[in-house]
Amino acid sequence: MAKARVWGWPALAGLGTVLVALTVGPVLLGKLHTHWPVWVVAGLGGTAVVATMVVKPLVQAHVKTLTDGVEAEGQRRQRQAEVIERVAGSSHRLPLVHDVVSRAALGIHPAIPLPPDADSNLSAELPSYVPRDNDADVQAAVTRMATTGGFLLLVRAPASGKTRAAAEAIRKLPQGWRMYLRSGSSSLQALVDEGVSLRRTVVWLDDIHELLDVAESGDSTGPQITSQLVRRLLLPDVGPVIVIGTTWPRKRDQYQKVADEGQPDLWADARRLLNMADQINL
């Protein structure tokens, strides 16, 4: 296709020039009272006819190639728009990280209800965050991945603050970073397959074990995450993309266990996926 684009127009221009010379030349010579032998004029006329027969199909083929290319690009953009709409709704764009403040959207567990006489400035949705010792490690990983891309996995028991710690870390990303939130069957796969730009996007995979369990069970109706998909997200020409997941220690240990000889290795891909991650035990 590239060679056709490079050589197509010069070739057509050359043939067109020959055609013009062969058809207009005799007329100009006639006006100048210069006479060519009959056999020369006949030969030129025949050559002009042949050149026309050659040029016309080439022009038609080149125009069809250009038209098909424009049509294919339009169809690709339409598919991208449909995928983004399924994921992001009527806004047709993934939300900005700094605009995602809903506890439920992030997957953060509800806080203990505030007492009736609590300070009115306190948020019942997201109470003031109390930093922990290894928050600096989480922040350092997110800051580094904002340049290089990467996969960060936070591991701790359920309802222990993993998701909130990750949410606090991404709040410090520069303006303009967007966020993918799980939103239905294979939506992330569809975004990647259709070539939707995910540059400077946080892929939020809270409780990633839910996706791994679905993938290994063979249930194609639910959302899935595979090592191949994450690897595609982390390619240099895609990102930087930051994939952030959370899971429990017992789930992580379950995936890391190799099956006994002769038994199906149900967690082989999950193990490959976790080995790609920078894991931090909170």
Side-chain angles (χ1 to χ4, degrees), residues 133-147:
D133 293 340
N134 45 10
D135 277 1
D137 297 333
V138 178
Q139 187 63 61
V142 170
T143 300
R144 169 173 50 83
M145 292 177 184
T147 301

Side-chain angles (χ1 to χ4, degrees), residues 9-278:
W9 284 117
L12 293 177
L15 287 172
T17 302
V18 171
L19 179 60
V20 170
L22 292 174
T23 53
V24 177
V27 176
L28 293 177
L29 290 172
K31 289 183 177 295
L32 295 173
H33 305 290
T34 301
H35 300 286
W36 286 5
V38 174
W39 66 269
V40 173
V41 175
L44 290 175
T47 304
V49 172
V50 173
T52 301
M53 295 173 63
V54 172
V55 170
K56 183 177 179 180
L58 286 175
V59 171
Q60 291 175 335
H62 198 73
V63 170
K64 185 177 186 305
T65 299
L66 293 176
T67 303
D68 290 347
V70 171
E71 183 178 351
E73 178 63 17
Q75 292 174 349
R76 186 181 71 86
R77 290 182 180 275
Q78 178 62 31
R79 291 195 303 270
Q80 288 183 342
E82 291 172 355
V83 171
I84 294 175
E85 185 174 5
R86 290 203 303 269
V87 174
S90 59
S91 66
H92 299 286
R93 301 189 72 179
L94 296 177
L96 293 169
V97 167
H98 295 91
D99 289 342
V100 181
V101 295
S102 167
R103 173 196 61 76
L106 292 167
I108 298 173
H109 290 280
I112 298 174
L114 295 173
D117 58 347
D119 188 337
S120 60
N121 292 322
L122 294 176
S123 169
E125 180 79 356
L126 287 176
S128 299
Y129 182 67
V130 179
R132 62 185 75 200
D133 293 340
N134 45 10
D135 277 1
D137 297 333
V138 178
Q139 187 63 61
V142 170
T143 300
R144 169 173 50 83
M145 292 177 184
T147 301
T148 63
F151 176 21
L152 177 62
L153 182 67
L154 304 185
V155 184
R156 193 166 176 171
S160 58
K162 302 181 297 298
T163 307
R164 181 66 188 273
E168 292 298 319
I170 64 172
R171 293 271 175 249
K172 297 179 182 178
L173 284 169
Q175 292 288 337
W177 274 78
R178 296 193 174 271
M179 194 169 196
Y180 166 83
L181 297 163
R182 287 159 51 183
S183 56
S185 175
S186 303
S187 57
L188 181 58
Q189 182 76 55
L191 288 171
V192 175
D193 288 345
E194 294 299 340
V196 175
S197 175
L198 294 175
R199 185 175 179 273
R200 290 167 60 87
T201 297
V202 174
V203 176
W204 191 255
L205 302 177
D206 183 51
D207 287 339
I208 195 173
H209 46 266
E210 295 177 357
L211 301 178
L212 294 174
D213 288 348
V214 169
E216 295 298 340
S217 69
D219 180 4
S220 61
T221 63
Q224 299 183 21
I225 188 72
T226 65
S227 61
Q228 181 184 29
L229 177 55
V230 171
R231 189 173 290 110
R232 291 174 66 185
L233 287 169
L234 300 181
L235 290 174
D237 58 341
V238 175
V241 172
I242 302 176
V243 180
I244 296 184
T246 65
T247 193
W248 310 333
R250 66 177 180 85
K251 280 293 186 180
R252 187 262 317 273
D253 296 342
Q254 172 188 335
Y255 301 142
Q256 295 288 12
K257 184 179 179 181
V258 179
D260 295 333
E261 185 176 355
Q263 298 298 316
D265 195 352
L266 297 177
W267 310 116
D269 192 65
R271 190 162 54 252
R272 285 191 291 269
L273 176 64
L274 296 189
N275 288 338
M276 295 166 58
D278 287 6

